Amino acid sequence: MVEREHCYVCNREAKKDSESWKYIMSLLNRKESSQNRSIQVFKNDFNEFFGEIQLGAQSYVGRIGGIQESIFRTREKEQELLARIVKVQEKIKNLKDERSRLIIGDEDNMIDARQIMAQYKGALTRLQKAEDDIVKAKKRINSLSDGVRKDEFELSRMRPQNTPKEYEVHLDISSDLRDAAQRTRVRVFDDMILRLEKEANMHFQNLIKYNELAGGILKFEKNLRGTIDFNYIDDEGNEVTGASEGFQRMKVLAVLMAVISVNPYGYLYPLLADAPLSAFGQGFIKGFFDETEKVFPQSIILIKDLYDRDSENKLNKLGNELLNNNSVSTMYLNHIPKNLKQVDVYTEHKKIK
């Protein structure tokens, strides 16, 4: 366009040195002029900044060489402390083991030891309560004694001076009779407690004789309230705790049998027993059947623990023993047949003896 002096954009002529030609030339020279244009560059001076860093770090530069040695010494100190911690922990463990052996024996008896400790804590609690009760009872006794002395003094003041001799003799005789009656009541009550305790222990030992564990002793003690405390102790007089449900129920049954046995009127009580027998176990159940016939002349017992679906007569070993026992006069079997739908289920009632 410059050489031919013509603008092909607007399709007009552009004579040399004309305004149009000059405009075309300015466009052609635009890139070159922009490249040659000087650009002012602003520079940051970091001399002061890095100078301060250099001065501040100068004190640490000399220590760089000793860092590795310092790390090594710190590691040695750490290992030494860890070794001391391990020794202290082993010492603590040995002391605990020694304490356990001194108190409760070997580790194999830890379960029994924990039970002993629990019983010991319970004994301390009961001991404290008993001591508190004793203190309260002593205060009550002293208060009642003071009241009795005051009443006797007041009674002596109210007594006439000229009382006939016969009245005084009659009063002495009445007092002696009253004291004799009280002593007789106490003696009869004590004898009854001893007899009840003897009968209960006899029944209890017979009830648990087929059990693998030895049971304790039933102890009846008269308290200050005039009632009986019922305790379960061993041969050495220590309270037996944690007994199974079977032992607990046998204790109650033994006391019930003892009450019936010591009844002087000889009333014949019947017995009706249901599902609780399932908590006894085979040994308890066998002892139960052997002992009940001695106390109860007629018994009706509903029990599922004699049933065995896979046996020929649907009874297990203990059930067959009772079947052949002459003291068992009648036996019924309630049985649900196999492979029945829910809507077809029914119960067979069969007399097998």
Side-chain angles (χ1 to χ4, degrees):
M1 288 190 294
V2 175
E3 293 176 355
R4 296 183 180 184
E5 299 179 356
H6 185 84
C7 178
Y8 294 104
V9 178
C10 59
N11 196 21
R12 289 184 300 177
E13 64 177 8
K15 295 296 183 178
K16 187 177 181 179
D17 296 330
S18 65
E19 291 296 331
S20 300
W21 186 84
K22 290 178 180 180
Y23 183 74
I24 294 173
M25 288 299 295
S26 65
L27 292 176
L28 292 174
N29 297 327
R30 178 177 59 186
K31 181 176 182 182
E32 182 178 355
S33 61
S34 64
Q35 290 178 349
N36 295 331
R37 184 183 302 167
S38 61
I39 300 175
Q40 184 178 3
V41 179
F42 297 94
K43 297 182 179 180
N44 292 321
D45 186 3
F46 290 99
N47 289 332
E48 183 178 357
F49 175 73
F50 287 108
E52 292 180 358
I53 293 178
Q54 183 178 6
L55 292 176
Q58 189 67 34
S59 60
Y60 299 99
V61 173
R63 303 180 185 179
I64 294 177
I67 290 178
Q68 184 174 0
E69 183 180 357
S70 178
I71 293 175
F72 180 72
R73 289 197 303 269
T74 303
R75 183 60 179 168
E76 285 184 338
K77 187 66 174 178
E78 181 182 356
Q79 294 296 331
E80 181 181 353
L81 291 175
L82 289 175
R84 291 174 60 184
I85 291 174
V86 172
K87 290 182 180 179
V88 173
Q89 289 177 344
E90 290 179 353
K91 186 176 180 180
I92 293 174
K93 182 179 181 300
N94 293 333
L95 290 175
K96 287 183 178 180
D97 294 341
E98 184 177 357
R99 182 187 64 181
S100 300
R101 287 192 295 270
L102 290 175
I103 296 178
I104 57 179
D106 298 333
E107 294 182 357
D108 295 337
N109 299 323
M110 286 301 295
I111 298 178
D112 295 337
R114 281 191 287 268
Q115 183 178 2
I116 291 173
M117 293 301 296
Q119 294 176 357
Y120 175 70
K121 292 179 180 178
L124 291 179
T125 302
R126 293 190 297 272
L127 177 62
Q128 184 62 42
K129 184 179 181 302
E131 291 178 350
D132 295 340
D133 293 340
I134 290 174
V135 172
K136 293 179 181 178
K138 288 182 177 179
K139 292 181 179 179
R140 179 63 175 167
I141 290 172
N142 293 332
S143 176
L144 293 175
S145 299
D146 293 339
V148 170
R149 285 193 295 269
K150 292 179 181 179
D151 292 340
E152 289 178 348
F153 177 74
E154 186 68 21
L155 182 62
S156 63
R157 292 180 54 190
M158 297 173 61
R159 181 177 300 174
Q161 297 296 327
N162 299 322
T163 304
K165 187 66 175 178
E166 292 79 5
Y167 289 174
E168 294 181 357
V169 174
H170 182 72
L171 176 62
D172 294 337
I173 295 174
S174 300
S175 299
D176 293 339
L177 291 175
R178 180 196 60 189
D179 295 338
Q182 290 180 348
R183 288 193 297 270
T184 301
R185 186 184 65 175
V186 172
R187 186 179 66 256
V188 171
F189 185 63
D190 292 342
D191 293 342
M192 180 60 68
I193 292 176
L194 293 176
R195 185 179 176 188
L196 185 65
E197 179 180 297
K198 180 180 178 181
E199 290 288 335
N201 277 288
M202 181 189 67
H203 290 301
F204 183 68
Q205 296 302 323
N206 291 334
L207 288 169
I208 66 173
K209 64 181 178 181
Y210 296 110
N211 196 57
E212 295 180 357
L213 297 177
I217 301 173
L218 306 181
K219 186 67 175 178
F220 295 75
E221 295 181 352
K222 184 175 64 173
N223 55 39
L224 298 177
R225 298 184 299 272
T227 58
I228 300 175
D229 291 333
F230 176 51
N231 299 315
Y232 186 36
I233 61 176
D234 58 15
D235 294 336
E236 298 180 357
N238 300 314
E239 183 179 1
V240 178
T241 60
S244 65
E245 184 179 359
F247 272 109
Q248 300 295 341
R249 293 184 176 180
M250 286 299 181
K251 285 161 46 181
V252 177
L253 185 59
V255 174
L256 177 62
M257 290 182 175
V259 172
I260 296 175
S261 300
V262 299
N263 186 357
Y265 301 103
Y267 184 80
L268 302 180
Y269 292 89
L271 172 66
L272 176 61
D274 199 354
L277 288 180
S278 60
F280 286 173
Q282 294 296 315
F284 281 139
I285 294 175
K286 187 175 181 180
F288 171 80
F289 276 97
D290 287 350
E291 190 66 15
T292 51
E293 63 173 323
K294 301 176 183 178
V295 180
F296 303 99
Q298 182 179 14
S299 302
I300 300 175
I301 301 172
L302 309 177
I303 180 173
K304 64 179 181 179
D305 298 88
L306 307 179
Y307 180 75
D308 185 1
R309 178 181 288 273
D310 298 327
S311 67
E312 183 177 355
N313 61 352
K314 307 302 179 183
L315 295 177
N316 58 15
K317 180 180 178 181
L318 179 57
N320 284 292
E321 291 180 2
L322 294 174
L323 183 64
N324 297 323
N325 191 337
N326 294 328
S327 62
V328 179
S329 60
T330 306
M331 184 177 292
Y332 287 88
L333 175 66
N334 296 336
H335 172 68
I336 298 177
K338 287 184 177 180
N339 303 323
L340 292 179
K341 295 181 180 180
Q342 185 68 28
V343 296
D344 298 330
V345 171
Y346 65 96
T347 302
E348 292 182 349
H349 304 283
K350 181 180 180 183
K351 182 178 180 180
I352 57 178
K353 183 176 181 182

